[in-house]
Coordinates of all heavy atoms in Angstrom, one line a residue:
Chain G
V81 N 16.7 10.9 -1.3 CA 16.8 9.6 -0.8 C 15.8 8.6 -1.5 O 15.1 7.9 -0.9 CB 16.5 9.5 0.8 CG1 17.8 10.0 1.5 CG2 15.3 10.3 1.2
G82 N 15.9 8.6 -2.8 CA 15.2 7.6 -3.6 C 13.7 7.7 -3.5 O 13.0 6.8 -3.8
G83 N 13.2 8.9 -3.1 CA 11.7 9.0 -2.9 C 11.2 8.3 -1.7 O 10.0 8.0 -1.6
G84 N 12.2 7.9 -0.8 CA 11.8 7.0 0.3 C 10.9 7.7 1.3 O 10.9 8.9 1.5
V85 N 10.0 6.9 1.8 CA 9.0 7.3 2.8 C 9.5 7.4 4.2 O 9.8 6.3 4.8 CB 7.7 6.5 2.7 CG1 6.6 7.0 3.7 CG2 7.2 6.4 1.3
G86 N 9.7 8.6 4.7 CA 10.1 8.7 6.1 C 8.9 9.3 6.9 O 7.8 9.2 6.5
E87 N 9.2 9.8 8.1 CA 8.1 10.2 9.0 C 7.3 11.4 8.4 O 6.1 11.3 8.3 CB 8.7 10.7 10.4 CG 7.6 11.1 11.3 CD 8.1 11.7 12.7 OE1 9.3 11.7 12.9 OE2 7.2 12.1 13.5
V88 N 8.0 12.5 8.0 CA 7.3 13.7 7.5 C 6.7 13.3 6.2 O 5.5 13.6 5.9 CB 8.3 14.8 7.4 CG1 7.6 16.0 6.7 CG2 8.8 15.3 8.8
H89 N 7.4 12.7 5.3 CA 7.0 12.3 4.0 C 5.7 11.5 4.1 O 4.7 11.8 3.4 CB 8.1 11.5 3.3 CG 7.8 11.1 1.9 ND1 8.6 11.5 0.8 CD2 6.9 10.3 1.4 CE1 8.2 10.9 -0.3 NE2 7.1 10.2 0.0
G90 N 5.7 10.5 4.9 CA 4.6 9.6 5.1 C 3.3 10.4 5.6 O 2.2 10.2 5.1
T91 N 3.6 11.2 6.7 CA 2.4 11.9 7.2 C 1.8 12.9 6.3 O 0.6 13.1 6.2 CB 2.8 12.6 8.6 OG1 3.4 11.6 9.4 CG2 1.6 13.2 9.3
K92 N 2.7 13.5 5.4 CA 2.1 14.4 4.4 C 1.2 13.7 3.5 O 0.2 14.1 3.1 CB 3.3 15.1 3.6 CG 3.9 16.3 4.4 CD 5.2 16.8 3.7 CE 4.9 17.8 2.6 NZ 6.1 18.4 2.1
M93 N 1.6 12.4 3.1 CA 0.8 11.7 2.1 C -0.5 11.3 2.8 O -1.6 11.4 2.2 CB 1.5 10.4 1.6 CG 0.8 9.7 0.5 SD 1.5 8.2 -0.1 CE 2.6 8.9 -1.3
V94 N -0.5 10.8 4.0 CA -1.7 10.4 4.7 C -2.6 11.6 4.9 O -3.8 11.5 4.6 CB -1.3 9.8 6.2 CG1 -2.6 9.5 6.9 CG2 -0.5 8.6 6.0
M95 N -2.1 12.7 5.2 CA -2.9 13.9 5.4 C -3.5 14.4 4.1 O -4.7 14.8 4.1 CB -2.1 15.1 6.0 CG -1.8 14.9 7.5 SD -3.4 14.7 8.4 CE -4.1 16.3 8.2
A96 N -2.8 14.2 3.0 CA -3.3 14.6 1.7 C -4.6 13.8 1.4 O -5.6 14.4 0.9 CB -2.3 14.3 0.6
I97 N -4.6 12.5 1.7 CA -5.8 11.7 1.5 C -7.0 12.1 2.4 O -8.1 12.2 1.9 CB -5.5 10.2 1.7 CG1 -4.2 9.8 0.9 CG2 -6.6 9.3 1.3 CD1 -3.6 8.5 1.4
R98 N -6.6 12.3 3.6 CA -7.7 12.7 4.6 C -8.3 14.1 4.2 O -9.5 14.3 4.3 CB -7.1 12.8 6.0 CG -6.9 11.4 6.6 CD -6.2 11.4 7.9 NE -7.1 11.9 9.0 CZ -7.7 11.1 9.8 NH1 -7.7 9.8 9.7 NH2 -8.5 11.7 10.8
L99 N -7.4 15.0 3.7 CA -7.9 16.3 3.3 C -8.7 16.3 2.1 O -9.7 17.0 1.9 CB -6.7 17.3 3.2 CG -6.0 17.6 4.5 CD1 -4.7 18.5 4.2 CD2 -6.9 18.3 5.5
A100 N -8.4 15.3 1.2 CA -9.2 15.2 0.0 C -10.6 14.8 0.4 O -11.6 15.2 -0.2 CB -8.6 14.1 -1.0
L101 N -10.7 13.9 1.3 CA -12.0 13.4 1.8 C -12.8 14.6 2.5 O -13.9 14.7 2.2 CB -11.7 12.3 2.9 CG -12.8 11.3 3.2 CD1 -13.3 10.7 1.9 CD2 -12.2 10.2 4.0
R102 N -12.0 15.3 3.3 CA -12.7 16.5 3.9 C -13.1 17.5 2.8 O -14.2 18.0 2.9 CB -11.7 17.2 4.9 CG -12.4 18.2 5.7 CD -11.5 19.0 6.6 NE -10.8 18.2 7.6 CZ -9.9 18.7 8.5 NH1 -9.6 20.0 8.4 NH2 -9.4 17.9 9.3
G103 N -12.3 17.7 1.8 CA -12.6 18.6 0.7 C -13.9 18.2 0.0 O -14.7 19.0 -0.3
Q104 N -14.0 16.9 -0.2 CA -15.2 16.4 -0.9 C -16.5 16.7 -0.1 O -17.5 17.1 -0.6 CB -15.0 14.8 -1.1 CG -16.0 14.2 -2.0 CD -15.7 14.5 -3.4 OE1 -15.8 15.6 -3.9 NE2 -15.2 13.5 -4.1
E105 N -16.4 16.4 1.2 CA -17.5 16.7 2.1 C -17.9 18.2 2.1 O -19.1 18.5 2.0 CB -17.2 16.3 3.5 CG -17.3 14.7 3.7 CD -16.6 14.2 5.0 OE1 -16.2 15.1 5.8 OE2 -16.3 13.0 5.0
I106 N -16.9 19.0 2.1 CA -17.2 20.5 2.1 C -17.7 20.9 0.8 O -18.7 21.7 0.7 CB -15.9 21.2 2.5 CG1 -15.5 20.9 3.9 CG2 -16.1 22.7 2.3 CD1 -14.1 21.5 4.3
L107 N -17.2 20.4 -0.3 CA -17.7 20.7 -1.6 C -19.1 20.4 -1.8 O -19.9 21.2 -2.3 CB -16.9 20.0 -2.7 CG -17.3 20.2 -4.2 CD1 -16.9 21.6 -4.6 CD2 -16.6 19.2 -5.1
K108 N -19.5 19.2 -1.3 CA -20.9 18.7 -1.4 C -21.8 19.5 -0.5 O -23.0 19.7 -0.9 CB -21.0 17.2 -1.1 CG -20.1 16.3 -2.0 CD -20.8 15.9 -3.2 CE -19.9 15.1 -4.1 NZ -19.7 14.9 -5.3
S109 N -21.4 19.9 0.7 CA -22.3 20.5 1.6 C -22.3 22.0 1.5 O -23.4 22.6 1.7 CB -21.9 20.1 3.1 OG -20.6 20.5 3.4
Q110 N -21.2 22.6 1.2 CA -21.2 24.1 1.3 C -21.1 24.8 -0.1 O -21.3 26.0 -0.1 CB -20.0 24.6 2.2 CG -20.2 24.1 3.6 CD -19.0 24.5 4.4 OE1 -18.2 25.4 4.1 NE2 -18.7 23.8 5.5
Y111 N -20.7 24.1 -1.1 CA -20.6 24.7 -2.4 C -21.7 24.2 -3.3 O -22.1 23.0 -3.2 CB -19.2 24.5 -2.9 CG -18.2 25.3 -2.2 CD1 -17.7 24.8 -1.0 CD2 -17.7 26.5 -2.6 CE1 -16.7 25.4 -0.3 CE2 -16.7 27.2 -1.9 CZ -16.2 26.6 -0.7 OH -15.3 27.3 0.0
R112 N -22.0 24.9 -4.3 CA -23.0 24.5 -5.3 C -22.5 23.2 -5.9 O -21.4 23.2 -6.4 CB -23.2 25.5 -6.4 CG -24.2 26.6 -5.9 CD -24.6 27.4 -7.1 NE -25.0 28.7 -6.7 CZ -24.2 29.8 -6.9 NH1 -23.1 29.7 -7.6 NH2 -24.6 31.0 -6.5
S113 N -23.3 22.1 -5.9 CA -22.8 20.9 -6.5 C -23.6 20.7 -7.8 O -24.3 19.7 -8.0 CB -23.0 19.7 -5.6 OG -24.2 19.7 -5.0
S114 N -23.5 21.6 -8.8 CA -24.1 21.4 -10.1 C -23.4 20.3 -10.9 O -22.3 20.0 -10.5 CB -24.1 22.7 -10.8 OG -22.8 23.1 -11.1
E115 N -23.9 19.9 -11.9 CA -23.3 18.9 -12.8 C -21.8 19.1 -13.1 O -21.0 18.3 -13.0 CB -24.1 18.7 -14.1 CG -25.4 18.0 -13.9 CD -25.2 16.5 -13.9 OE1 -24.5 16.0 -14.8 OE2 -25.7 15.8 -13.0
D116 N -21.6 20.4 -13.5 CA -20.2 20.7 -14.0 C -19.3 21.2 -12.9 O -18.1 21.5 -13.2 CB -20.3 21.7 -15.1 CG -21.1 22.9 -14.7 OD1 -22.3 22.8 -14.6 OD2 -20.5 24.0 -14.4
S117 N -19.7 21.2 -11.6 CA -18.7 21.6 -10.6 C -17.8 20.5 -10.3 O -16.8 20.7 -9.6 CB -19.4 22.1 -9.4 OG -20.0 21.0 -8.7
G118 N -18.1 19.3 -10.8 CA -17.2 18.2 -10.6 C -17.1 17.7 -9.1 O -17.9 18.0 -8.3
Q119 N -16.1 16.8 -8.9 CA -15.9 16.2 -7.6 C -14.5 16.3 -7.3 O -13.6 16.3 -8.2 CB -16.4 14.8 -7.6 CG -15.6 13.9 -8.6 CD -16.1 12.5 -8.8 OE1 -16.8 12.0 -7.9 NE2 -15.8 11.9 -9.9
V120 N -14.1 16.2 -6.0 CA -12.7 16.2 -5.6 C -12.1 14.9 -6.0 O -12.7 13.8 -5.7 CB -12.6 16.5 -4.1 CG1 -11.1 16.4 -3.7 CG2 -13.1 17.9 -3.8
A121 N -10.9 14.9 -6.6 CA -10.2 13.7 -6.9 C -8.8 13.8 -6.3 O -8.3 14.9 -6.1 CB -10.1 13.5 -8.4
L122 N -8.2 12.7 -6.0 CA -6.9 12.6 -5.5 C -5.9 12.1 -6.6 O -6.2 11.1 -7.2 CB -6.8 11.7 -4.2 CG -5.5 11.4 -3.6 CD1 -4.9 12.7 -3.0 CD2 -5.6 10.4 -2.5
V123 N -4.8 12.8 -6.8 CA -3.9 12.4 -7.8 C -2.5 12.2 -7.2 O -2.0 13.1 -6.5 CB -3.7 13.5 -8.9 CG1 -2.7 13.0 -10.0 CG2 -5.1 13.8 -9.6
I124 N -2.0 11.0 -7.3 CA -0.7 10.7 -6.7 C 0.3 10.3 -7.7 O 0.1 9.4 -8.5 CB -0.8 9.5 -5.7 CG1 -1.8 9.9 -4.6 CG2 0.6 9.3 -5.0 CD1 -2.0 8.8 -3.6
S125 N 1.4 11.1 -7.8 CA 2.5 10.7 -8.7 C 3.6 9.9 -7.9 O 4.2 10.5 -7.0 CB 3.1 12.0 -9.3 OG 4.4 11.6 -9.8
F126 N 3.7 8.6 -8.1 CA 4.6 7.8 -7.4 C 6.0 7.9 -8.0 O 6.1 7.7 -9.2 CB 4.2 6.3 -7.4 CG 2.8 6.1 -6.7 CD1 1.7 6.1 -7.4 CD2 2.8 6.0 -5.3 CE1 0.4 5.8 -6.8 CE2 1.5 5.7 -4.7 CZ 0.4 5.7 -5.4
D127 N 7.0 8.1 -7.2 CA 8.4 7.9 -7.7 C 9.2 7.6 -6.5 O 9.8 8.5 -5.8 CB 8.9 9.3 -8.3 CG 10.0 9.0 -9.3 OD1 10.4 7.9 -9.5 OD2 10.4 10.0 -10.0
T128 N 9.3 6.3 -6.1 CA 9.8 5.9 -4.8 C 10.2 4.4 -4.8 O 9.7 3.6 -5.5 CB 8.7 6.1 -3.8 OG1 9.1 5.7 -2.5 CG2 7.4 5.4 -4.1
G129 N 11.2 4.2 -3.9 CA 11.5 2.8 -3.6 C 10.8 2.2 -2.4 O 11.1 1.1 -2.0
G130 N 9.9 3.0 -1.8 CA 9.2 2.5 -0.7 C 9.7 3.1 0.6 O 10.0 4.3 0.7
V131 N 9.9 2.3 1.6 CA 10.3 2.8 3.0 C 11.7 3.4 2.9 O 12.6 2.9 2.2 CB 10.3 1.6 4.0 CG1 11.1 2.0 5.2 CG2 8.9 1.1 4.3
R132 N 11.9 4.6 3.6 CA 13.2 5.2 3.7 C 13.9 4.5 4.9 O 13.5 4.6 6.0 CB 13.0 6.7 4.0 CG 14.3 7.5 4.1 CD 14.1 8.9 4.6 NE 13.2 9.6 3.7 CZ 12.7 10.9 3.9 NH1 13.0 11.5 5.0 NH2 12.0 11.5 3.0
L133 N 15.0 3.8 4.6 CA 15.6 3.0 5.6 C 16.1 3.8 6.8 O 16.1 3.3 7.9 CB 16.8 2.2 5.0 CG 16.4 1.0 4.1 CD1 17.6 0.3 3.6 CD2 15.5 0.1 4.9
Q134 N 16.5 5.1 6.6 CA 17.0 5.9 7.7 C 15.8 6.1 8.7 O 16.1 6.5 9.9 CB 17.5 7.3 7.2 CG 18.8 7.2 6.4 CD 18.5 7.0 4.9 OE1 17.5 6.5 4.5 NE2 19.5 7.4 4.1
E135 N 14.6 6.0 8.2 CA 13.4 6.2 9.1 C 12.5 5.0 8.9 O 11.3 5.2 8.8 CB 12.7 7.5 8.8 CG 13.7 8.7 8.9 CD 13.1 10.0 8.4 OE1 11.8 10.2 8.6 OE2 13.8 10.8 7.8
A136 N 13.1 3.8 8.9 CA 12.4 2.6 8.4 C 11.1 2.3 9.1 O 10.0 2.1 8.5 CB 13.3 1.4 8.5
N137 N 11.1 2.4 10.4 CA 9.9 2.1 11.2 C 8.7 3.0 11.0 O 7.6 2.6 10.8 CB 10.2 2.0 12.7 CG 11.3 1.0 13.0 OD1 11.7 0.2 12.1 ND2 11.9 1.1 14.2
A138 N 9.1 4.3 11.0 CA 8.0 5.3 10.8 C 7.5 5.2 9.3 O 6.3 5.3 9.1 CB 8.6 6.7 11.0
G139 N 8.4 4.9 8.4 CA 8.0 4.8 7.0 C 7.1 3.6 6.8 O 6.1 3.6 6.1
L140 N 7.4 2.5 7.5 CA 6.5 1.3 7.4 C 5.1 1.6 7.9 O 4.1 1.3 7.3 CB 7.2 0.2 8.2 CG 6.6 -1.2 8.0 CD1 7.0 -1.8 6.7 CD2 6.9 -2.2 9.2
L141 N 5.1 2.2 9.1 CA 3.8 2.5 9.7 C 3.0 3.5 8.8 O 1.8 3.3 8.6 CB 3.9 3.1 11.1 CG 4.6 2.2 12.1 CD1 4.7 3.0 13.5 CD2 3.8 1.0 12.3
A142 N 3.7 4.4 8.2 CA 3.0 5.4 7.3 C 2.3 4.6 6.1 O 1.2 5.0 5.7 CB 4.0 6.4 6.7
H143 N 2.9 3.6 5.6 CA 2.3 2.8 4.6 C 0.9 2.2 5.0 O -0.1 2.2 4.3 CB 3.1 1.6 4.1 CG 4.3 2.0 3.2 ND1 5.4 2.6 3.6 CD2 4.4 1.9 1.8 CE1 6.2 2.8 2.6 NE2 5.6 2.4 1.5
S144 N 0.9 1.7 6.3 CA -0.4 1.2 6.8 C -1.5 2.3 6.9 O -2.6 2.0 6.7 CB -0.2 0.4 8.1 OG 0.0 1.3 9.1
E145 N -1.0 3.5 7.3 CA -1.9 4.6 7.4 C -2.5 5.0 6.1 O -3.7 5.4 5.9 CB -1.2 5.8 8.1 CG -0.9 5.5 9.6 CD 0.4 6.2 10.1 OE1 0.8 7.1 9.4 OE2 0.9 5.7 11.1
V146 N -1.6 5.0 5.1 CA -2.0 5.3 3.7 C -3.1 4.3 3.2 O -4.1 4.7 2.7 CB -0.8 5.4 2.7 CG1 -1.3 5.4 1.3 CG2 0.0 6.6 3.0
M147 N -2.8 3.0 3.4 CA -3.8 2.0 2.9 C -5.1 2.2 3.7 O -6.2 2.0 3.0 CB -3.2 0.6 3.2 CG -2.1 0.3 2.3 SD -2.5 0.2 0.5 CE -3.2 -1.4 0.4
D148 N -5.1 2.5 4.9 CA -6.4 2.7 5.7 C -7.1 3.9 5.2 O -8.3 3.9 5.0 CB -6.0 2.8 7.2 CG -7.3 3.1 8.0 OD1 -8.3 2.4 7.8 OD2 -7.2 3.9 8.9
A149 N -6.3 5.0 4.9 CA -7.0 6.2 4.4 C -7.6 5.9 3.0 O -8.6 6.5 2.6 CB -5.9 7.3 4.3
F150 N -6.9 5.1 2.2 CA -7.5 4.7 0.9 C -8.8 4.1 1.1 O -9.8 4.4 0.3 CB -6.5 3.7 0.2 CG -5.5 4.4 -0.8 CD1 -5.0 5.7 -0.5 CD2 -5.0 3.7 -1.8 CE1 -4.1 6.2 -1.4 CE2 -4.1 4.3 -2.7 CZ -3.6 5.5 -2.5
Q151 N -8.9 3.1 2.0 CA -10.1 2.4 2.2 C -11.2 3.4 2.7 O -12.4 3.3 2.3 CB -9.9 1.3 3.2 CG -11.2 0.4 3.5 CD -11.6 -0.3 2.2 OE1 -10.8 -0.7 1.4 NE2 -12.9 -0.5 2.1
A152 N -10.8 4.4 3.5 CA -11.8 5.4 4.0 C -12.3 6.2 2.8 O -13.4 6.7 2.9 CB -11.1 6.3 5.1
A153 N -11.5 6.4 1.8 CA -11.8 7.2 0.7 C -12.7 6.5 -0.4 O -13.3 7.1 -1.3 CB -10.6 7.8 0.0
R154 N -12.8 5.2 -0.2 CA -13.5 4.4 -1.1 C -15.0 4.8 -1.3 O -15.7 5.1 -0.4 CB -13.6 2.9 -0.6 CG -12.4 2.1 -0.9 CD -12.2 1.8 -2.4 NE -13.3 0.9 -2.9 CZ -13.2 -0.4 -2.6 NH1 -12.3 -0.9 -1.9 NH2 -14.2 -1.2 -3.1
G155 N -15.4 5.0 -2.6 CA -16.7 5.4 -2.9 C -17.0 6.8 -2.6 O -18.1 7.3 -2.7
K156 N -16.0 7.6 -2.2 CA -16.1 9.0 -1.9 C -15.2 9.9 -2.7 O -15.6 10.8 -3.4 CB -15.9 9.2 -0.4 CG -17.0 8.6 0.5 CD -16.6 8.7 1.9 CE -17.7 8.1 2.8 NZ -17.2 7.6 4.0
V157 N -13.9 9.5 -2.7 CA -12.9 10.3 -3.4 C -12.2 9.4 -4.4 O -11.6 8.4 -4.0 CB -11.9 11.0 -2.5 CG1 -10.8 11.6 -3.3 CG2 -12.5 12.0 -1.6
P158 N -12.4 9.6 -5.7 CA -11.6 8.8 -6.7 C -10.1 9.0 -6.6 O -9.7 10.2 -6.3 CB -12.1 9.2 -8.0 CG -12.8 10.5 -7.8 CD -13.2 10.6 -6.4
I159 N -9.3 8.0 -6.7 CA -7.9 8.1 -6.6 C -7.2 7.7 -7.9 O -7.4 6.6 -8.4 CB -7.3 7.2 -5.4 CG1 -8.0 7.6 -4.1 CG2 -5.8 7.4 -5.3 CD1 -7.7 6.7 -2.9
I160 N -6.4 8.6 -8.4 CA -5.8 8.4 -9.7 C -4.3 8.4 -9.5 O -3.7 9.3 -8.9 CB -6.1 9.6 -10.7 CG1 -7.6 9.7 -10.9 CG2 -5.4 9.3 -12.0 CD1 -8.0 11.0 -11.6

Side-chain angles (χ1 to χ4, degrees):
Chain G
V81 284
V85 180
E87 183 187 357
V88 172
H89 183 119
T91 305
K92 280 173 83 171
M93 187 182 275
V94 175
M95 282 307 292
I97 308 163
R98 288 175 71 97
L99 292 175
L101 203 49
R102 190 186 297 178
Q104 191 78 290
E105 283 160 14
I106 293 171
L107 179 71
K108 303 269 174 212
S109 64
Q110 294 175 25
Y111 292 80
R112 279 194 204 105
S113 49
S114 63
E115 281 282 309
D116 52 286
S117 69
Q119 61 188 336
V120 174
L122 175 67
V123 180
I124 305 179
S125 164
F126 297 96
D127 204 359
T128 177
V131 167
R132 179 188 302 173
L133 286 179
Q134 290 89 336
E135 306 173 31
N137 300 346
L140 191 76
L141 297 179
H143 281 78
S144 71
E145 291 148 19
V146 167
M147 290 297 280
D148 178 43
F150 268 28
Q151 184 61 34
R154 279 290 292 284
K156 292 174 181 150
V157 174
I159 305 176
I160 303 166

